[in-house]
Amino acid sequence: MKASDLFVKALEKEGVEYIFGVPGEENLDLLESLSNSSIKLILTRHEQGAGFMAATYGRLTGKPGVCLATLGPGATNLVTPAAYAQLGAMPMLMITGQKPIKKSKQARFQIIDVVDMMQPITKFTKQLVNGNVIASQIREAFRLATEERPGAVHLELPEDIAQEETEDTVFDVVGHIIPNPDEKAIEAAVKMIEAAKMPLLLIGAGANRKVTCQALAEFVDETGIYFFTTQMGKGVIDERHPQYLGTAALSSNDFLHAALDASDLIINVGHDVIEKPPFFMKHGGKKVIHINFSPAEVDPVYFPQLNVVGDITHSVKKLTEQVSPTQNWDFSYYKKVKGEVAGHLSKYFQDERFPMLPQRLVNLLRKNLGEKDVITLDNGVYKIWFARNYTCYHPNTLLLDNALASMGAGLPSAMAVNLLYPHKKVVAVVGDGGFMMNSQELETAVRLGLNLVVIILNDHGYGMIKWKQEDMGFKNYGLDFNNPDFIQYANSYGAHGYRPESDASFQEILDKSLNSPGVHVIDLPVDYSLNHPILNVMLKEKTAKL
């Protein structure tokens, strides 16, 4: 069998449905083999878009998303998606081409050491030097990509290796069961929880990757312990739950941080130090129980006193069985904080000023989307408002990146969601800066016949950095730009472009876009004037009073 055919056969054995990418000359044998397979090639307009789509596929399915690029500049364009998947714990396989390795074809033209480049940002990277190792290396790559903690892997397939004759052998997909935690660790956790006066549960991204929703909800229901989430842990438990305190969109000085400061024990499920810290530990301060698939990585702001290592769901179930609510628990302060949070978050939901406040947009999207519909976010200051203010009813219904936090991922992520779940409504909320980094993928979305809404928050600048700039007392400098006419831009791709002129017109356009097929792009002027006074000033003052 030709090596490229074996490569594709091994991918089929792993259950690969799509390969996202931009092929080059060095991929042509593999491309020919793909044309005769069950795998669908999703041709994108930039390798970065392909990588973000593959990573999102992995995030949602738990199976590695696969992306393809050629050597040199094609491979370097996958560096950001590689880091995005690796830091975000999203299983992804990158395949890149290379010139022949047995003899020179074009001297050093376009040749860089891609394997060495990928080494620090992947779990596994390998150049295939013999066609007979292809099947085993693909199995190993998929194993490592999905094994906790999931991440990015990379295989380089040179032209001459792709053309070799090989043995027709593929490997069975063999999974494994994550071990249960040690009983002594469970016993120690139970003692710490029962001895605490104000225990608090934190749900992180690791709890979102596995089916832990029911186990965690039962733990909260049985114990009455209040909980909050990291940004990437949103929705694991329905956020309408009476014990939900909020999402840690900031690292300090938000209302829920008042609850954190008062707590004497945090039960931290599924968190790792790669996600932006939801709180800071201090020596001599509150205690932390780390419940995860692996021990905590010690960091200056995170050094738990107890590790409960093993399958998260089993750990939580064991705690639910053994923890008995005690009379020394006092959650009255948490109830007070929850009331403050609810009043604060809803304050601007009905504010109809235009340009629109991000808080108002959050409210309108929540009202117009179903329980399992999906919002994907790019990276900008609006991400904080969505993390704090958007109520998630189910996991992975608000997709944001709080690990690499790269701009440019919002639109490709929405496209991957629509490919996977065509029955769900999908909205990408992007800043004008982040949108323009991968806006060319509108053509891909239209060509694929996708149905999605893209809301561009237009402030003609890099709003997140402006917010930070103002907080540091610096003058506004170096962050403003001009935009194209987004209506004409969308229409030129065959999408539908709109520019609302009032709150009412936005609501009409949103309703039409959500209920009509095709790709809809809404150029929405946004008012960020409250970012600094609320997030930098008012929260600190009011949290201190709590």
Side-chain angles (χ1 to χ4, degrees):
M1 175 178 282
K2 185 178 174 182
S4 61
D5 290 339
L6 178 63
F7 196 107
V8 171
K9 188 175 181 180
L11 293 179
E12 289 177 327
K13 185 75 171 179
E14 298 288 345
V16 174
E17 300 174 272
Y18 303 104
I19 293 181
F20 309 93
V22 182
E25 175 187 343
E26 291 71 27
N27 307 119
L28 289 179
D29 287 283
L30 186 62
L31 201 64
E32 176 66 18
S33 298
L34 271 177
S35 70
N36 299 311
S37 79
S38 61
I39 300 171
K40 184 177 181 180
L41 175 67
I42 304 294
L43 183 68
T44 61
R45 301 307 300 268
H46 194 285
E47 292 86 356
Q48 196 176 97
F52 287 140
M53 291 184 76
T56 302
Y57 178 98
R59 178 179 186 173
L60 293 173
T61 66
K63 301 185 299 182
V66 182
C67 55
L68 172 71
T70 189
L71 81 172
T76 59
N77 281 342
L78 286 179
V79 166
T80 299
Y84 176 82
Q86 182 73 350
L87 267 65
M90 307 173 197
M92 178 176 77
L93 167 64
M94 298 172 287
I95 303 164
T96 61
Q98 188 54 273
K99 299 293 183 187
I101 56 174
K102 295 179 181 178
K103 61 180 180 179
S104 177
K105 182 180 179 183
Q106 293 174 318
R108 298 292 298 173
F109 176 65
Q110 289 192 311
I111 294 178
I112 60 170
D113 190 336
V114 176
V115 171
D116 199 41
M117 177 183 74
M118 291 292 185
Q119 189 73 47
I121 53 173
T122 59
K123 294 181 73 176
F124 172 78
T125 176
K126 188 93 170 176
Q127 182 188 71
L128 298 172
V129 297
N130 186 316
N132 289 320
V133 302
I134 284 175
S136 62
Q137 291 303 307
I138 287 177
R139 177 79 284 271
E140 181 66 358
F142 273 77
R143 181 187 72 82
L144 288 168
T146 54
E147 188 178 82
E148 282 292 335
R149 188 177 178 270
V153 295
H154 165 250
L155 291 174
E156 181 178 80
L157 180 62
E159 275 186 272
D160 51 351
I161 304 303
Q163 295 165 0
E164 284 185 351
E165 288 297 313
T166 64
E167 297 175 6
D168 181 9
T169 305
V170 294
F171 289 77
D172 290 335
V173 177
V174 179
H176 67 283
I177 297 174
I178 298 173
N180 291 331
D182 185 82
E183 284 297 329
K184 291 182 179 179
I186 294 292
E187 290 172 10
V190 170
K191 288 180 181 179
M192 288 177 69
I193 295 169
E194 291 181 350
K197 293 182 179 179
M198 296 179 65
L200 191 58
L201 172 67
L202 170 58
I203 300 173
N208 216 347
R209 292 197 296 272
K210 303 295 180 181
V211 187
T212 59
C213 303
Q214 184 176 347
L216 280 164
E218 288 174 356
F219 175 79
V220 170
D221 290 339
E222 289 293 322
T223 63
I225 291 175
Y226 280 72
F227 71 96
F228 71 108
T229 74
T230 67
Q231 293 185 40
M232 295 177 75
K234 281 185 71 67
V236 172
I237 298 178
D238 189 328
E239 292 175 359
R240 293 169 292 189
H241 196 287
Q243 263 69 46
Y244 172 64
L245 281 179
T247 296
L250 304 170
S251 292
S252 60
N253 296 314
D254 205 343
F255 290 125
L256 66 85
H257 290 103
L260 270 163
D261 292 340
S263 69
D264 57 346
L265 174 68
I266 296 176
I267 307 158
N268 198 354
V269 179
H271 177 62
D272 64 50
V273 296
I274 288 178
E275 190 169 5
K276 188 175 181 180
F279 67 93
F280 301 116
M281 287 188 70
K282 296 178 182 177
H283 291 282
K286 67 180 86 307
K287 294 181 179 179
V288 175
I289 300 173
H290 177 87
I291 301 175
N292 214 326
F293 302 103
S294 57
E297 295 179 46
V298 176
D299 185 88
V301 299
Y302 189 65
F303 41 91
Q305 288 83 2
L306 176 64
N307 286 297
V308 179
V309 179
D311 179 72
I312 287 179
T313 301
H314 186 83
S315 298
V316 173
K317 285 181 176 179
K318 282 291 184 182
L319 291 177
T320 304
E321 291 171 4
Q322 298 183 33
V323 170
S324 299
T326 66
Q327 290 187 347
N328 57 294
W329 287 355
D330 182 3
F331 298 143
S332 58
Y333 183 68
Y334 294 162
K335 293 178 182 178
K336 178 183 176 182
V337 170
K338 183 173 176 61
E340 290 289 334
V341 169
H344 166 73
L345 294 184
S346 62
K347 182 174 181 181
Y348 294 99
F349 278 179
Q350 307 307 321
D351 192 313
E352 297 182 359
R353 74 181 73 179
F354 202 84
M356 185 173 286
L357 292 174
Q359 299 98 305
R360 172 65 169 165
L361 175 63
V362 168
N363 175 248
L364 290 174
L365 286 175
R366 182 64 282 173
K367 282 169 49 178
N368 282 276
L369 292 174
E371 290 197 2
K372 294 187 177 181
D373 292 335
V374 179
I375 295 175
T376 68
L377 300 181
D378 208 278
N379 270 280
V381 70
Y382 52 88
K383 186 176 79 170
I384 294 174
W385 293 111
F386 272 86
R388 294 174 79 248
N389 295 41
Y390 188 81
T391 304
C392 287
Y393 306 150
H394 295 276
N396 290 321
T397 51
L398 181 68
L399 293 186
L400 55 81
D401 166 28
N402 194 35
L404 182 67
S406 170
M407 297 171 72
L411 173 59
S413 294
M415 293 161 60
V417 174
N418 189 236
L419 267 180
L420 277 168
Y421 309 118
H423 59 286
K424 294 184 180 182
K425 293 177 181 176
V426 183
V427 179
V429 178
V430 300
D432 45 4
F435 172 70
M436 289 303 293
M437 291 187 178
N438 273 309
S439 63
Q440 70 280 348
E441 299 306 341
L442 283 178
E443 188 279 328
T444 308
V446 171
R447 172 166 35 89
L448 293 175
L450 300 182
N451 300 312
L452 55 94
V453 179
V454 183
I455 300 175
I456 305 171
L457 300 184
N458 192 341
D459 68 333
H460 295 277
Y462 293 113
M464 171 72 87
I465 314 306
K466 283 187 176 183
W467 169 57
K468 296 284 188 180
Q469 195 174 53
E470 186 172 6
D471 185 40
M472 295 175 70
F474 297 141
K475 63 179 180 295
N476 182 6
Y477 173 75
L479 299 169
D480 295 308
F481 50 70
N482 296 319
N483 286 316
D485 184 322
F486 286 128
I487 296 177
Q488 293 186 43
Y489 189 75
N491 293 342
S492 71
Y493 284 117
H496 309 280
Y498 312 90
R499 184 179 299 113
E501 297 179 352
S502 67
D503 184 283
S505 70
F506 171 75
Q507 292 192 56
E508 292 176 7
I509 290 167
L510 179 64
D511 180 69
K512 176 183 177 182
S513 300
L514 287 172
N515 294 290
S516 302
V519 179
H520 302 266
V521 179
I522 304 173
D523 177 6
L524 179 64
V526 64
D527 181 352
Y528 283 147
S529 63
L530 297 182
N531 288 354
H532 177 71
I534 291 179
L535 298 176
N536 295 339
V537 181
M538 183 273 284
L539 280 181
K540 292 179 183 178
E541 295 173 351
K542 289 202 170 185
T543 301
K545 291 178 182 178
L546 268 176

